[in-house]
Amino acid sequence: QKEVEQDPGPLSVPEGAIVSLNCTYSNSAFQYFMWYRQYSRKGPELLMYTYSSGNKEDGRFTAQVDKSSKYISLFIRDSQPSDSATYLCAMSKTGGFKTIFGAGTRLFVKA
Amino acid sequence: DAGITQSPRHKVTETGTPVTLRCHQTENHRYMYWYRQDPGHGLRLIHYSYGVKDTDKGEVSDGYSVSRSKTEDFLLTLESATSSQTSVYFCAISESTLTYSPLHFGNGTRLTVT
């Protein structure tokens, strides 16, 4: 069993929709939870991170962590075609060292 | 971009040949990492470095070696390439492990082993 599970999709939504992306994990020692966005032929870039449990909001993006359920989510409001990318969840016991990644969910936002 | 350059960007090589991929950073970050990315597996850590000449293995290190002779350069070597090493290789850097320090990635090297 993988330490981090993420549905690879693809997920296709119309412009303006609310998108929900999720990951589950098995290691309760994870403390840092990240979401990376990766455009085609590019490296991943950090979108958001959360320490321990709770919510974090940044513009149209909201990250949620539920450590009791070992479940994290990323919500994208008012999705735009420019949000079309692969979204990778990632987790770490420390501040970023030995980060473990999910397989990534491919998102398409149609105009 | 965080000042990370990977070279070459694309390479095709034959089974059994040695291959070296280079990562160069201009951020003076202490930690450097090599990941490979494959469909269905996401990013998996191959090797990492926590200083000049200080390296250690990640989860998929078999068949790979690394070297770091300068802070800015981290080399990944496939001693004898195999078809299972066909992948996209990403270098990443981070500043610290004492506090939260996100990974910053290069744009990858696409390696095909025929």
Side-chain angles (χ1 to χ4, degrees), chain A residues 48-79:
Chain A
M48 298 181 70
Y49 87 92
T50 308
Y51 173 71
S52 195
S53 281
N55 294 358
K56 189 170 186 178
E57 188 173 321
D58 183 1
R60 298 184 293 111
F61 299 88
T62 300
Q64 288 185 352
V65 175
D66 181 349
K67 291 191 73 177
S68 62
S69 301
K70 297 190 180 68
Y71 188 87
I72 71 170
S73 301
L74 177 70
F75 297 95
I76 307 173
R77 291 182 299 280
D78 187 25
S79 55

Side-chain angles (χ1 to χ4, degrees), chain B residues 68-84:
Chain B
R68 192 170 178 197
S69 59
K70 297 185 289 185
T71 299
E72 56 266 34
D73 290 325
F74 193 31
L75 303 180
L76 177 70
T77 298
L78 290 66
E79 302 290 347
S80 178
T82 68
S83 58
S84 64

Side-chain angles (χ1 to χ4, degrees), chain A residues 1-7 22-27 30 32-35 70 72 88-92 99-104, chain B residues 40-43:
Chain A
Q1 184 188 2
K2 294 179 182 177
E3 279 192 284
V4 179
E5 297 278 0
Q6 182 176 12
D7 186 336
N22 312 293
C23 288
T24 60
Y25 62 96
S26 57
N27 192 335
F30 288 137
Y32 292 87
F33 303 90
M34 287 74 73
W35 287 96
K70 297 190 180 68
I72 71 170
L88 302 149
C89 63
M91 305 170 191
S92 173
T99 300
I100 306 296
F101 287 83
Chain B
H41 290 279
L43 287 155

Side-chain angles (χ1 to χ4, degrees), chain A residues 2 38 41 43 95 97 99, chain B residues 35 37 40 48 100-101 107 110:
Chain A
K2 294 179 182 177
Q38 185 177 21
R41 308 282 177 169
F97 197 55
T99 300
Chain B
Y35 282 87
Q37 186 174 37
Y48 61 94
Y100 178 66
S101 179
N107 283 324
R110 189 170 295 269

Side-chain angles (χ1 to χ4, degrees), chain B residues 25-97:
Chain B
Q25 60 143 332
T26 57
E27 305 296 319
N28 200 35
H29 283 1
R30 179 179 175 186
Y31 300 91
M32 299 186 75
Y33 312 80
W34 278 107
Y35 282 87
R36 60 178 289 175
Q37 186 174 37
D38 305 287
H41 290 279
L43 287 155
R44 291 180 292 174
L45 183 63
I46 305 171
H47 279 281
Y48 61 94
S49 170
Y50 45 96
V52 173
K53 299 192 189 306
D54 292 323
T55 66
D56 206 346
K57 297 178 180 180
E59 65 174 306
V60 290
S61 59
D62 287 348
Y64 302 95
S65 62
V66 290
S67 66
R68 192 170 178 197
S69 59
K70 297 185 289 185
T71 299
E72 56 266 34
D73 290 325
F74 193 31
L75 303 180
L76 177 70
T77 298
L78 290 66
E79 302 290 347
S80 178
T82 68
S83 58
S84 64
Q85 294 176 312
T86 291
S87 186
V88 182
Y89 292 86
F90 286 98
C91 174
I93 63 174
S94 68
E95 194 167 13
S96 169
T97 62

